[in-house]
Amino acid sequence: MPIRYRQPAGLLLTALLSVFVLYAFYGNLFGKINTVFFATGGDGMQSYVNMEYHIRHDSTYLRCNSMNYPYGEHVFFTNNQPLISNSIKFISQNLVDISDYTLGILNFTMLFCLVIAPLFLYLIFTGLGVGTLLSILASVGIAYLSPQLDRFGGHFNLSYVCAIPLMILLLMRFFKKPSAWLSVLIFLTVMTGALTSFYFYGFFAVLILFFYGAYLAGNEKLFPNKYAWALHLFIQLVLPFLILQAFYISDHITDRPAYPWGFLVYRAWPQSIFLPFGRPYGQFLHSWLNTGYIDWEGYAFVGMLAFAGTIVFLVRFVKKTIVKKFDLLLQVTPNRQLNILFWAAMASLLYSFGLPFILGLEGLVDLIGPVRQMRGVARFSWIFFYVMNIITVYWLWNWWASRGRKPWKTFALAAALLMLCTDAWYNVRNRGVWLNNSMPALTDKNLELPENQWINHIDKSRYQAIIPLPYFHIGSENIWIDGGCEIVTQCFIAIKNSGIPCTGAMLSRTSISQTVNNMALMLEPSCSSVDMGKFPSQKPFLMMVARCELLSDHERLLIKHATAVDSSGSFGIYELPFNTFRNIADSIAAAAGKEYLNLSLYDHDGMRSTDSTLNFRYVDSGIVGKAKNRNTLFNANLPHADTGVVYIVSFLMDQVRTDLYPRTRATFIETDSTGNIIREESFQVFEQFRMIDGDRVLVEYRFRLSDPANRISLTLQNKTLRNKPLRVDNVLIRPENTNLYFRTKEGIWKNNRYYCR
């Protein structure tokens, strides 16, 4: 029967089977799609809350002000899925209010992709001439084996399983018979993908460029006019990029991080792609291979069927090479389009391994510009997953259909299909259970639960923002403060239910200067950090304080100046007057001045100390060195050393507002008299920030000596900055119980802190 006559029936059967599988593994979610949470923290919680806040409270479509107050953030950097959230926002504001169903719409969209992805795969297979039954079963198996299912637990914008199969289908149709409507469909798919996650734009760009590259390299007369291909390429790939840039025009931030952390950390490895570590039958592999160095992002198992197909390809490739059939090396299958797809997928796979950068060519990262923003290079292996499974099924069908359909061939084909379905079953089993999370505090519309009752007890219009303690700020790629004590989750609940924005942040590619400004306010006050002009009003703040031991000294000081308003389970709710930050800074500066005048201090080399013994080291001259080198700040013994006290080593570093500088790594080493290393500890400097003043930051590190005769050294290094300069001065090592002072024309210097008059 011709394909065109069996397509509707095959599509219907594929859809029915897909719905059946979806119900079998995710059916427990169906009745509560608008109340269940696929993730209860992290990026998933970020999506849920930011979307609801944006829909209900933001006045524009391109800004989300839920976090990073008073600045807010461009909607593209909030994990907000603007295509979905802005559609709901528009409908709710202009047609009928559906904002109460935001949670359900997002959950349904992710699950619905699992229904339609097999349909696209089915059309691909039948277009290649694969039999109906095999096309149906293989399509559903591949869809439910997809590594994108792992993203249902948090990275919702990457969970749309139908995206890559749809693009493959459209490109195969277009390069078989180009048409304007297919070009428009490709444009819409690229645009939709880019507005969901820029990774999809990257995936689609690889596939599109390989198809056009193959067309230009060949002699095929596909387009009616000589340069018609350029117009189609512009519509399909360039125009979406230009439109996306137009959206960014409203974003005036110029200091977003250009070097996101983890570009060569979140990569795949051959064993994480081809070996079944997550399957019961693959558990024995853990005793043979160490996989501790592989980040979870790197796992994207292709399945045993595609693994077998890869082995077949490698054997054939080697045989062609041995017999010198070099002209056949690129012909992986009899189908030219599949060959193009294969080499696009192979290039994506190699890139997902970190090639060519891992070959000692890390410097090339500087040359790829915006591509660096797609730091999860392992995700590019997803293209290989789909393509290799498609090609393997295609090979099996052609092998079975050629030279007689013998019973043993049918048995082998059935075994291969069973292998695919078994891997899919292992991949999807218990998924519905894992995603079945309840968070009553987030769906408590009447605010009756203890976590939410405080919202009914306050006048929300009285406060301008929530300050979470311990403070958290995640997303600048330069400074990472995760708070702890469940403060992030509880703050998300407060934002969603109260509509009050938060000074903390859990966003993406946040402005470095905005991050530093907000963080500086939560550290010890400096001359510049308490400039409150950035806030739009002088309303008090609402502090949400966790009852835990992770609060800093400055955060505890803020609590002392605040008034208790209410409580929320294990959290206290406080009102903090607007002028508190300024008042605390003034009182600390005044206290330092009084100490300098009134204490009995001892002079030591132009510095005044509370200890009569010279028990400290101070190097005020600036230290400048190339960041790629290990720059030594201090390397000596301490005078009158004492193993019974805690020492503090501190220094001032420049360019805290410049990308990568806060990620500079400091290394502390203690060596004995024979040169043996007693202790070596390393940390990124942002982990030990104590005070920010303008573009300078005070870094402190505490330690104890093992022996008074031991030598200590402190070095700084930042390989990513390469030849850029590291500038450091005021290196001070002192006992914690010794205070040091001197007077400057601006005010008092105490323990490496400058207090203005």
Side-chain angles (χ1 to χ4, degrees), residues 186-451:
I186 293 173
F187 160 78
L188 292 174
T189 303
V190 173
M191 199 71 238
T192 301
L195 289 173
T196 303
S197 171
F198 199 71
Y199 280 95
F200 283 124
Y201 182 88
F203 302 154
F204 297 160
V206 170
L207 294 170
I208 291 172
L209 291 175
F210 261 83
F211 265 94
Y212 277 96
Y215 163 74
L216 293 173
N219 296 316
E220 188 177 3
K221 301 297 181 182
L222 197 62
F223 298 96
N225 300 317
K226 185 176 181 180
Y227 296 108
W229 66 269
L231 177 61
H232 285 290
L233 178 61
F234 177 83
I235 293 171
Q236 294 168 9
L237 192 62
V238 179
L239 184 58
F241 183 81
L242 295 177
I243 294 174
L244 204 63
Q245 299 312 303
F247 281 119
Y248 285 117
I249 291 177
S250 62
D251 178 30
H252 303 295
I253 302 302
T254 59
D255 66 339
R256 296 193 184 279
Y259 288 81
W261 185 86
F263 185 82
L264 293 179
V265 175
Y266 302 138
R267 68 182 182 94
W269 298 73
Q271 55 268 43
S272 68
I273 300 298
F274 295 109
L275 297 183
F277 285 105
R279 307 295 187 268
Y281 63 81
Q283 292 300 314
F284 71 95
L285 294 170
H286 290 283
S287 60
W288 288 4
L289 299 170
N290 173 32
T291 59
Y293 53 88
I294 303 177
D295 187 86
W296 75 272
E297 282 269 15
Y299 287 93
F301 179 49
V302 296
M304 293 305 297
L305 179 65
F307 174 57
T310 305
I311 297 298
V312 170
F313 157 74
L314 292 174
V315 170
R316 289 179 174 179
F317 190 86
V318 172
K319 286 178 65 177
K320 291 176 185 177
T321 304
I322 292 174
V323 298
K324 298 182 179 181
K325 293 183 177 180
F326 302 117
D327 57 326
L328 299 178
L329 287 179
L330 297 180
Q331 297 181 21
V332 181
T333 75
N335 186 288
R336 184 168 184 265
Q337 290 191 338
L338 280 185
N339 294 337
I340 296 170
L341 282 170
F342 175 82
W343 292 110
M346 183 60 70
S348 298
L349 179 66
L350 296 177
Y351 180 75
S352 77
F353 293 155
L355 293 170
F357 313 105
I358 60 174
L359 302 176
L361 301 173
E362 292 87 351
L364 292 179
V365 175
D366 291 336
L367 305 178
I368 60 176
V371 177
R372 285 193 302 268
Q373 300 297 329
M374 293 182 283
R375 61 178 172 187
V377 296
R379 298 167 184 174
F380 280 83
S381 65
W382 298 351
I383 299 175
F384 181 81
F385 165 82
Y386 290 105
V387 171
M388 198 65 235
N389 275 285
I390 291 169
I391 287 177
T392 306
V393 171
Y394 173 80
W395 276 340
L396 282 169
W397 171 259
N398 285 346
W399 170 76
W400 178 80
S402 64
R403 299 180 183 178
R405 301 174 181 181
K406 299 178 181 179
W408 69 271
K409 281 189 172 184
T410 302
F411 176 80
L413 181 63
L417 192 59
L418 178 63
M419 182 189 303
L420 171 65
C421 293
T422 300
D423 276 332
W425 180 80
Y426 279 127
N427 191 51
V428 79
R429 62 174 184 164
N430 296 323
R431 293 279 182 181
V433 176
W434 297 338
L435 301 181
N436 186 12
N437 301 298
S438 175
M439 292 196 70
L442 268 178
T443 54
D444 178 23
K445 295 182 180 179
N446 297 321
L447 306 177
E448 297 173 344
L449 295 177
E451 298 94 326

Side-chain angles (χ1 to χ4, degrees), residues 518-556:
N518 276 350
M519 183 181 179
L521 205 59
M522 305 310 298
L523 300 174
E524 296 179 30
S526 67
C527 296
S528 65
S529 66
V530 290
D531 179 7
M532 306 295 283
K534 64 182 179 181
F535 293 104
S537 79
Q538 294 192 14
K539 290 182 179 181
F541 298 97
L542 200 65
M543 289 203 311
M544 190 170 193
V545 182
R547 298 189 179 99
C548 69
E549 299 301 319
L550 297 182
L551 297 171
S552 69
D553 292 339
H554 182 61
E555 289 171 341
R556 295 180 189 278

Side-chain angles (χ1 to χ4, degrees), residues 420-643:
L420 171 65
C421 293
T422 300
D423 276 332
W425 180 80
Y426 279 127
N427 191 51
V428 79
R429 62 174 184 164
N430 296 323
R431 293 279 182 181
V433 176
W434 297 338
L435 301 181
N436 186 12
N437 301 298
S438 175
M439 292 196 70
L442 268 178
T443 54
D444 178 23
K445 295 182 180 179
N446 297 321
L447 306 177
E448 297 173 344
L449 295 177
E451 298 94 326
N452 296 322
Q453 288 181 5
W454 64 272
I455 300 174
N456 288 325
H457 300 162
I458 66 168
D459 178 5
K460 292 183 289 185
S461 64
R462 175 176 168 77
Y463 304 99
Q464 59 175 308
I466 296 171
I467 296 178
L469 300 182
Y471 183 70
F472 67 90
H473 204 294
I474 303 167
S476 73
E477 305 296 332
N478 281 263
I479 296 173
W480 182 287
I481 311 170
D482 58 10
C485 305
E486 292 294 320
I487 189 62
V488 177
T489 298
Q490 293 302 320
C491 191
F492 271 131
I493 294 173
I495 293 169
K496 188 263 181 183
N497 291 330
S498 71
I500 303 175
C502 175
T503 62
M506 186 175 181
L507 302 167
S508 300
R509 313 301 189 268
T510 314
S511 160
I512 300 170
S513 59
Q514 291 177 2
T515 299
V516 171
N517 287 344
N518 276 350
M519 183 181 179
L521 205 59
M522 305 310 298
L523 300 174
E524 296 179 30
S526 67
C527 296
S528 65
S529 66
V530 290
D531 179 7
M532 306 295 283
K534 64 182 179 181
F535 293 104
S537 79
Q538 294 192 14
K539 290 182 179 181
F541 298 97
L542 200 65
M543 289 203 311
M544 190 170 193
V545 182
R547 298 189 179 99
C548 69
E549 299 301 319
L550 297 182
L551 297 171
S552 69
D553 292 339
H554 182 61
E555 289 171 341
R556 295 180 189 278
L557 190 57
L558 289 174
I559 297 171
K560 289 182 180 179
H561 285 75
T563 302
V565 173
D566 211 321
S567 63
S568 168
S570 57
F571 293 80
I573 308 298
Y574 294 80
E575 178 178 307
L576 184 72
F578 180 78
N579 291 325
T580 299
F581 293 98
R582 178 78 266 172
N583 293 338
I584 290 176
D586 290 343
S587 64
I588 292 176
K594 289 180 180 179
E595 291 170 12
Y596 181 80
L597 294 174
N598 299 332
L599 291 178
S600 297
L601 301 176
Y602 302 90
D603 290 327
H604 297 292
D605 297 331
M607 191 172 295
R608 308 194 72 186
S609 171
T610 54
D611 198 305
S612 60
T613 305
L614 180 61
N615 57 0
F616 64 90
R617 292 280 192 183
Y618 179 62
V619 182
D620 63 349
S621 59
I623 299 170
V624 181
K626 291 182 179 180
K628 66 181 180 181
N629 301 328
R630 295 193 69 167
N631 297 278
T632 300
L633 306 188
F634 183 84
N635 184 15
N637 299 92
L638 296 180
H640 300 94
D642 187 349
T643 58

Side-chain angles (χ1 to χ4, degrees), residues 624-751:
V624 181
K626 291 182 179 180
K628 66 181 180 181
N629 301 328
R630 295 193 69 167
N631 297 278
T632 300
L633 306 188
F634 183 84
N635 184 15
N637 299 92
L638 296 180
H640 300 94
D642 187 349
T643 58
V645 301
V646 174
Y647 282 87
I648 300 176
V649 56
S650 63
F651 57 89
L652 294 174
M653 190 178 84
D654 289 351
Q655 295 181 270
V656 67
R657 298 173 183 272
T658 304
D659 195 13
L660 296 176
Y661 277 86
R663 280 162 42 186
T664 299
R665 184 160 292 277
T667 302
F668 175 86
I669 299 177
E670 179 183 357
T671 56
D672 62 19
S673 57
T674 61
N676 295 318
I677 296 177
I678 305 300
R679 180 177 53 167
E680 181 173 349
E681 295 182 6
S682 183
F683 60 91
Q684 290 181 298
V685 293
F686 75 79
E687 301 172 32
Q688 303 295 338
F689 281 3
R690 290 295 176 267
M691 175 189 284
I692 294 173
D693 192 357
D695 200 27
R696 308 181 80 202
V697 62
L698 173 66
V699 181
E700 281 191 343
Y701 172 76
R702 285 170 165 75
F703 67 93
R704 285 180 181 270
L705 281 172
S706 301
D707 188 290
N710 286 351
R711 190 181 189 89
I712 65 167
S713 70
L714 182 68
T715 61
L716 289 184
Q717 187 177 34
N718 192 323
K719 294 181 179 179
T720 312
L721 284 171
R722 297 185 175 84
N723 290 320
K724 292 182 179 179
L726 283 178
R727 294 185 178 89
V728 173
D729 59 14
N730 287 33
V731 180
L732 173 66
I733 303 100
R734 65 177 179 88
E736 186 178 38
N737 56 6
T738 297
N739 293 320
L740 302 168
Y741 306 81
F742 61 77
R743 184 190 294 275
T744 71
K745 61 181 180 180
E746 291 84 14
I748 297 297
W749 179 96
K750 175 186 175 183
N751 297 337

Side-chain angles (χ1 to χ4, degrees), residues 34-342:
N34 198 46
T35 57
V36 70
F37 293 87
F38 292 172
T40 58
D43 292 336
M45 179 68 71
Q46 178 190 11
S47 286
Y48 285 134
V49 172
N50 284 342
M51 285 182 69
E52 290 226 13
Y53 186 97
H54 179 60
I55 292 166
R56 296 179 185 274
H57 302 292
D58 287 325
S59 58
T60 70
Y61 287 91
L62 292 178
R63 299 292 300 178
C64 181
N65 297 303
S66 57
M67 311 190 90
N68 197 39
Y69 183 86
Y71 307 104
E73 185 55 279
H74 195 283
V75 69
F76 284 0
F77 299 98
T78 59
N79 220 357
N80 210 308
Q81 301 204 44
L83 198 62
I84 297 176
S85 61
N86 281 332
S87 297
I88 298 173
K89 186 178 182 69
F90 178 83
I91 294 171
S92 297
Q93 291 180 347
N94 298 281
L95 300 174
V96 59
D97 188 1
I98 59 172
S99 58
D100 283 344
Y101 302 99
T102 300
L103 175 63
I105 292 171
L106 178 58
N107 289 340
F108 173 81
T109 305
M110 289 187 282
L111 292 175
F112 183 65
C113 268
L114 274 171
V115 174
I116 61 175
L119 301 182
F120 299 143
L121 289 165
Y122 173 83
L123 291 173
I124 291 171
F125 282 128
T126 54
L128 292 169
V130 177
T132 301
L133 181 60
L134 179 58
S135 295
I136 293 172
L137 296 176
S139 297
V140 176
I142 293 170
Y144 284 87
L145 177 58
S146 171
Q148 289 180 261
L149 266 64
D150 289 333
R151 307 299 158 158
F152 277 65
H155 295 160
F156 299 153
N157 55 352
L158 290 168
S159 67
Y160 300 111
V161 179
C162 60
I164 297 175
L166 173 59
M167 181 53 66
I168 292 173
L169 174 65
L170 291 175
L171 287 172
M172 293 180 73
R173 292 279 178 94
F174 178 80
F175 278 89
K176 184 177 183 181
K177 187 178 182 181
S179 67
W181 76 272
L182 276 174
S183 203
V184 170
L185 280 178
I186 293 173
F187 160 78
L188 292 174
T189 303
V190 173
M191 199 71 238
T192 301
L195 289 173
T196 303
S197 171
F198 199 71
Y199 280 95
F200 283 124
Y201 182 88
F203 302 154
F204 297 160
V206 170
L207 294 170
I208 291 172
L209 291 175
F210 261 83
F211 265 94
Y212 277 96
Y215 163 74
L216 293 173
N219 296 316
E220 188 177 3
K221 301 297 181 182
L222 197 62
F223 298 96
N225 300 317
K226 185 176 181 180
Y227 296 108
W229 66 269
L231 177 61
H232 285 290
L233 178 61
F234 177 83
I235 293 171
Q236 294 168 9
L237 192 62
V238 179
L239 184 58
F241 183 81
L242 295 177
I243 294 174
L244 204 63
Q245 299 312 303
F247 281 119
Y248 285 117
I249 291 177
S250 62
D251 178 30
H252 303 295
I253 302 302
T254 59
D255 66 339
R256 296 193 184 279
Y259 288 81
W261 185 86
F263 185 82
L264 293 179
V265 175
Y266 302 138
R267 68 182 182 94
W269 298 73
Q271 55 268 43
S272 68
I273 300 298
F274 295 109
L275 297 183
F277 285 105
R279 307 295 187 268
Y281 63 81
Q283 292 300 314
F284 71 95
L285 294 170
H286 290 283
S287 60
W288 288 4
L289 299 170
N290 173 32
T291 59
Y293 53 88
I294 303 177
D295 187 86
W296 75 272
E297 282 269 15
Y299 287 93
F301 179 49
V302 296
M304 293 305 297
L305 179 65
F307 174 57
T310 305
I311 297 298
V312 170
F313 157 74
L314 292 174
V315 170
R316 289 179 174 179
F317 190 86
V318 172
K319 286 178 65 177
K320 291 176 185 177
T321 304
I322 292 174
V323 298
K324 298 182 179 181
K325 293 183 177 180
F326 302 117
D327 57 326
L328 299 178
L329 287 179
L330 297 180
Q331 297 181 21
V332 181
T333 75
N335 186 288
R336 184 168 184 265
Q337 290 191 338
L338 280 185
N339 294 337
I340 296 170
L341 282 170
F342 175 82

